[in-house]
Amino acid sequence: MLSYVVKRVLQMIPTLFGVSLLCFIIIHSVPGDPAHLIAGVDATEEQVQSVKERLGLDRPLYEQYFSYVSNLLQGNLGESLQSERPVLQEIMTRFPNTILLTVFSVIIMVIVGLFAGILSATKPNSIRDNVTMMFSLFGISMPVFWFGTMLILLFSYYLPLLPSGGSSGLQHFILPSVVLGLSSSGVLARLTRSSILEVIHQDFIRTARAKGVKERLVIYKHTLKNALIPIITIIGLEFGTLLGGAVLTETVFSMNGLGRFIIQSIEFRDYPAVQGCILFVATIFVVVNLLVDLCYSAVDPRIRYE
């Protein structure tokens, strides 16, 4: 397994290099000049040019990219053009809120999605199955910004039970976690249903029932355990999706998180901040995918990594 992990880690290097290059090209293709924003509306061309020279924005793009990669290899993500603070410091200030929101959302997604998928699979083509899948389709289809706004109106305005925004306490994470968790639970519910239906008609399940094993044990111990591989895969993918998808949710709920910081940095054309945030999120995503792959062997002992 050690050799497998080393090989996967080495494969991350070209992946992250490609992410950094693509991000660099896209962010520098966006119309607008951060030097004009920093210098001010009334700045002269000489003042704008002075800002460009100070920030190194007057150099050719290939020189800027090589300088960026050189700093990356030293663990330096650069300095934010807005705050003039290290980008890594800005990320670490906001990342705890984003990861807490993501973890809470994944917990809600797993609880609701697994429960709904099991309910549907145990009574296929029934009223219960149709109603559960209808709600899962609703969760997949609804935009998070609309759902978030509706929850704010209901629980913060009409029923003033929860705060409408902020991130200073755990109560501020309830509504955004519900928004992200329920939006992703529909995908997990549908996948859980299909995975269980593939397993539940196999011979070893019929044998367990013939031996008199209780139906609850048949479902949760034998069927669900053998259907976990695709479920674990989608949970890992959704974790990365939620981490990046928190951009809209954090903006709707005015949370001081990584997603909102990315939006603000894009508006300001803060190249180092945008590049650093996206590379940071991409690194977490590939690490989570590696951890998901390693979980397969714990679920299915027949899987071996060479």
Side-chain angles (χ1 to χ4, degrees):
M1 181 177 290
L2 181 60
S3 60
Y4 174 79
V5 172
V6 172
K7 183 173 68 174
R8 286 292 302 272
V9 170
L10 292 177
Q11 290 175 352
M12 292 180 187
I13 297 175
T15 300
L16 295 177
F17 173 78
V19 169
S20 68
L21 179 59
L22 185 62
C23 177
F24 183 88
I25 294 173
I26 292 176
I27 192 61
H28 281 81
S29 301
V30 175
D33 188 352
H36 285 86
L37 296 175
I38 295 173
V41 179
D42 300 325
T44 63
E45 285 298 324
E46 290 78 9
Q47 291 173 324
V48 173
Q49 186 62 30
S50 176
V51 172
K52 286 185 177 181
E53 292 176 359
R54 177 167 60 87
L55 299 176
L57 298 176
D58 60 328
R59 295 181 296 167
L61 285 181
Y62 70 89
E63 288 188 11
Q64 294 184 44
Y65 181 70
F66 287 144
S67 176
Y68 173 66
V69 172
S70 176
N71 289 331
L72 280 182
L73 296 177
Q74 302 175 45
N76 180 16
L77 296 180
E79 290 188 355
S80 170
L81 302 182
Q82 277 184 283
S83 63
E84 297 184 353
R85 296 171 58 192
V87 172
L88 187 59
Q89 184 178 344
E90 295 281 9
I91 291 174
M92 289 297 106
T93 301
R94 296 165 172 81
F95 182 64
N97 291 330
T98 299
I99 194 64
L100 198 60
L101 173 61
T102 303
V103 170
F104 287 158
S105 302
V106 168
I107 292 174
I108 294 174
M109 177 192 73
V110 170
I111 293 174
V112 176
L114 282 180
F115 182 72
I118 293 171
L119 278 181
S120 295
T122 50
K123 293 288 184 180
N125 302 319
S126 64
I127 296 178
R128 184 172 73 183
D129 180 25
N130 294 331
V131 170
T132 304
M133 288 299 100
M134 181 185 67
F135 278 105
S136 69
L137 182 61
F138 173 75
I140 295 171
S141 305
M142 63 181 175
V144 292
F145 61 86
W146 175 84
F147 189 33
T149 304
M150 294 302 102
L151 289 186
I152 289 174
L153 283 174
L154 179 60
F155 292 103
S156 299
Y157 182 74
Y158 294 113
L159 300 172
L161 301 175
L162 295 169
S164 61
S167 52
S168 58
L170 290 179
Q171 71 274 15
H172 293 87
F173 289 86
I174 295 176
L175 290 183
S177 298
V178 169
V179 170
L180 284 177
L182 292 184
S183 299
S184 300
S185 62
V187 177
L188 183 61
R190 298 175 77 86
L191 182 69
T192 301
R193 178 184 183 274
S194 61
S195 298
I196 289 179
L197 288 177
E198 287 182 6
V199 176
I200 204 168
H201 298 297
Q202 294 187 14
D203 292 339
F204 70 93
I205 299 296
R206 285 194 288 267
T207 302
R209 285 172 170 162
K211 289 182 177 180
V213 178
K214 293 182 179 180
E215 186 65 19
R216 180 175 297 179
L217 289 177
V218 170
I219 297 298
Y220 289 97
K221 184 178 179 180
H222 299 286
T223 307
L224 185 59
K225 183 178 180 181
N226 286 274
L228 276 180
I229 295 295
I231 293 174
I232 291 175
T233 302
I234 199 65
I235 290 174
L237 292 175
E238 285 298 315
F239 183 91
T241 302
L242 290 174
L243 194 64
V247 171
L248 287 177
T249 307
E250 289 178 357
T251 302
V252 170
F253 289 94
S254 301
M255 302 184 71
N256 186 29
L258 200 56
R260 192 180 179 202
F261 179 59
I262 293 175
I263 293 294
Q264 294 172 342
S265 300
I266 292 174
E267 292 174 349
F268 194 80
R269 307 298 187 271
D270 192 342
Y271 301 148
V274 175
Q275 293 166 183
C277 288
I278 293 178
L279 188 62
F280 185 81
V281 173
T283 302
I284 294 177
F285 193 86
V286 295
V287 170
V288 169
N289 282 337
L290 173 59
L291 295 177
V292 167
D293 289 346
L294 296 179
C295 287
Y296 292 159
S297 61
V299 173
D300 190 345
R302 294 172 298 180
I303 298 177
R304 290 289 182 267
Y305 298 105
E306 299 297 337

